[in-house]
Amino acid sequence: MTRVYNFSAGPAVLPEEVLKEAAEEMLDYKGCGMSVMEMSHRSKMFSDIIETAEADLRELMNIPDNYKVLFLQGGASSQFSAIPMNLMRNKEADFIITGQWAKKAYQEASRYGKANIIASSEDKTFTYIPDCSDLNISENADYVYVCYNNTIYGTKYQQVPDTKGKILVADMSSCILSEPVNVEDFGVIYFGVQKNVGPAGVVVAVIREDLITDDVLPGTPTMLKWKTHADAKSLYNTPPCYGIYICGKVFQWLKKQGGLEAMKKHNEEKAKILYDFLDQSEMFKGTVVKEDRSLMNVPFVTGNDEMDAKFVKEAKEAGFENLKGHRTVGGMRASIYNAMPTEGVEKLVEFMKKFEEENK
Ligand SMILES: Cc1ncc(COP(=O)(O)O)c(C=O)c1O
């Protein structure tokens, strides 16, 4: 068996320990004679799995009691519609556009009410996070929406935007559990799990209780109404059982690593290896302003499309997979989520040094 260094932006690398454990339990989960994939979602066995997963996530993120944790389906994109449907009482919301995922959420919300762009970094191809210290918040806005870590462009908010009292909704798909956040700064935090937590399809929403009501937009499908799932403890219908089981294992793995403070330290040290190299390289350049760099997604370019393609090809041959940048931006991107070992980044940098030497 050969495992590659997988720099995919998502679905992405998961802890090997978790995959091995899941493999061992595949045919017979804890002596019950079946796989978690095969068991009833109403069984005691599965109740334990989902309840433990929720308790571990609550502990890791220090989630206050007045927030619900929902395990949902439909990926992060399903929440692009659910958020306006559940929150747009005044039919108005403010958006900060920092990349394609924020834009998609904005476009979807525009179908249900007045969506305002109150800040954007599109003028410089999303290479920075706009100043959010004195935003022009709309009086009637039901909430302010941000994408906290921009998977494609490699930027991340370093400070919580000042929403002047309005509810803050954050898509944290690509930075969740990479460092601590103060949950109380947000009304809603949600994340597709396929980057830092588990298999694609599951989306976890952490929502302040008072925002979960029957007062949703007319026509909201039952499955997109948060209250449906909150009332049923995420078991309104068959949940993505196997995905939730893997998420639970990753939460336990994170606890063993020392929790989110330890992950932050590990991620900072790991990202620094790559950023330090990019800052002194003659050939490779990071594309994001230094202050707003993501610890999870690191885009870089040589400035020459042919050289970029040569690099991606040779890197793949050397066992470094999925380094090609997003199809809309080109260049390269190394996604270095929690489960990417430091050694993977050290080896990548070694390879980049050698490539630079050989292609001067
Ligand atoms: C920040 C962010 N939000 C949302 C999505 C969309 O997630 P999904 O494919 O689960 O709908 C992605 C990418 O997969 C993402 O990186």
Side-chain angles (χ1 to χ4, degrees):
M1 181 195 68
T2 318
R3 298 263 302 161
V4 294
Y5 288 114
N6 178 9
F7 293 93
S8 169
V13 58
L14 288 173
E16 216 166 278
E17 213 176 297
V18 165
L19 297 176
K20 279 187 181 146
E21 240 180 65
E24 274 164 26
E25 292 173 351
M26 179 59 81
L27 295 180
D28 179 7
Y29 177 73
K30 295 199 170 156
C32 76
M34 61 180 108
S35 163
V36 173
M37 239 182 274
E38 302 169 299
M39 71 177 55
S40 165
H41 60 295
R42 309 273 174 214
S43 63
K44 166 83 175 70
M45 222 39 149
F46 188 72
S47 295
D48 287 348
I49 290 172
I50 193 168
E51 281 166 19
T52 307
E54 178 176 338
D56 286 339
L57 181 63
R58 282 186 176 277
E59 186 182 327
L60 281 166
M61 288 181 70
N62 205 7
I63 299 174
D65 289 345
N66 65 325
Y67 282 73
K68 295 275 189 212
V69 173
L70 308 181
F71 291 93
L72 308 169
Q73 323 201 32
S77 303
S78 66
Q79 296 306 305
F80 295 171
S81 338
I83 291 160
M85 286 179 152
N86 284 273
L87 291 183
M88 262 193 182
R89 311 232 155 82
N90 295 325
K91 295 224 170 171
E92 188 165 348
D94 287 349
F95 286 76
I96 302 175
I97 306 296
T98 50
Q100 287 204 19
W101 296 114
K103 207 182 223 178
K104 283 197 172 164
Y106 157 78
Q107 284 164 344
E108 189 62 17
S110 308
R111 301 179 59 216
Y112 304 103
K114 187 164 177 276
N116 310 306
I117 298 180
I118 56 163
S120 167
S121 52
E122 191 157 17
D123 60 336
K124 293 192 178 145
T125 334
F126 302 119
T127 50
Y128 69 102
I129 298 288
D131 177 9
C132 295
S133 57
D134 187 18
L135 292 163
N136 195 11
I137 306 279
S138 312
E139 205 179 309
N140 273 333
D142 290 299
Y143 60 93
V144 177
Y145 182 98
V146 293
C147 180
Y148 221 55
N149 184 84
N150 296 281
T151 327
I152 298 173
Y153 299 95
T155 56
K156 174 172 176 272
Y157 284 79
Q158 310 297 330
Q159 266 122 33
V160 179
D162 180 359
T163 62
K164 303 180 179 169
K166 298 283 184 190
I167 295 158
L168 181 59
V169 175
D171 174 356
M172 292 200 186
S173 297
S174 48
C175 60
I176 195 67
L177 303 171
S178 62
E179 59 184 325
V181 288
N182 181 20
V183 174
E184 282 182 320
D185 290 337
F186 302 85
V188 181
I189 292 173
Y190 76 99
F191 52 97
V193 303
Q194 69 270 30
K195 293 146 200 311
N196 247 343
V197 193
V202 182
V203 51
V204 180
V206 178
I207 309 172
R208 216 175 63 206
E209 245 166 22
D210 60 295
L211 304 176
I212 303 176
T213 69
D214 282 315
D215 187 14
V216 298
L217 294 188
T220 298
T222 307
M223 280 293 287
L224 286 186
K225 187 173 155 181
W226 290 332
K227 193 159 186 302
T228 303
H229 302 284
D231 286 351
K233 295 188 177 332
S234 302
L235 293 170
Y236 166 73
N237 68 329
T238 321
C241 302
Y242 197 79
I244 293 170
Y245 153 77
I246 299 289
C247 292
K249 283 205 179 297
V250 172
F251 299 153
Q252 293 203 343
W253 177 81
L254 285 166
K255 280 171 63 177
K256 263 195 257 163
Q257 308 306 303
L260 301 195
E261 281 296 348
M263 281 328 288
K264 179 178 189 221
K265 186 166 174 284
H266 167 72
N267 287 326
E268 280 172 350
E269 286 166 4
K270 195 171 66 179
K272 187 171 186 300
I273 299 168
L274 184 49
Y275 283 126
D276 281 354
F277 171 70
L278 290 172
D279 287 344
Q280 60 75 56
S281 166
E282 299 273 310
M283 174 183 267
F284 298 102
K285 293 275 166 272
T287 56
V288 167
V289 301
K290 279 189 188 169
E291 315 81 79
D292 297 331
R293 283 169 164 176
S294 164
L295 294 179
M296 298 283 100
N297 311 98
V298 184
F300 55 94
V301 293
T302 64
N304 172 334
D305 290 348
E306 274 169 35
M307 192 63 86
D308 287 351
K310 184 169 191 270
F311 174 78
V312 171
K313 180 172 172 284
E314 290 183 17
K316 186 178 166 66
E317 285 160 7
F320 304 101
E321 285 278 347
N322 293 313
L323 280 166
K324 196 163 184 288
H326 189 269
R327 59 193 180 326
T328 58
V329 285
M332 280 75 69
R333 171 180 48 173
S335 294
I336 51 174
Y337 296 118
N338 283 342
M340 170 58 66
T342 302
E343 185 199 64
V345 176
E346 284 168 351
K347 293 252 169 79
L348 173 65
V349 166
E350 249 171 61
F351 178 80
M352 289 167 79
K353 276 185 192 157
K354 190 165 141 275
F355 184 89
E356 182 166 349
E357 203 48 46
E358 287 168 3
N359 292 277
K360 261 184 182 161

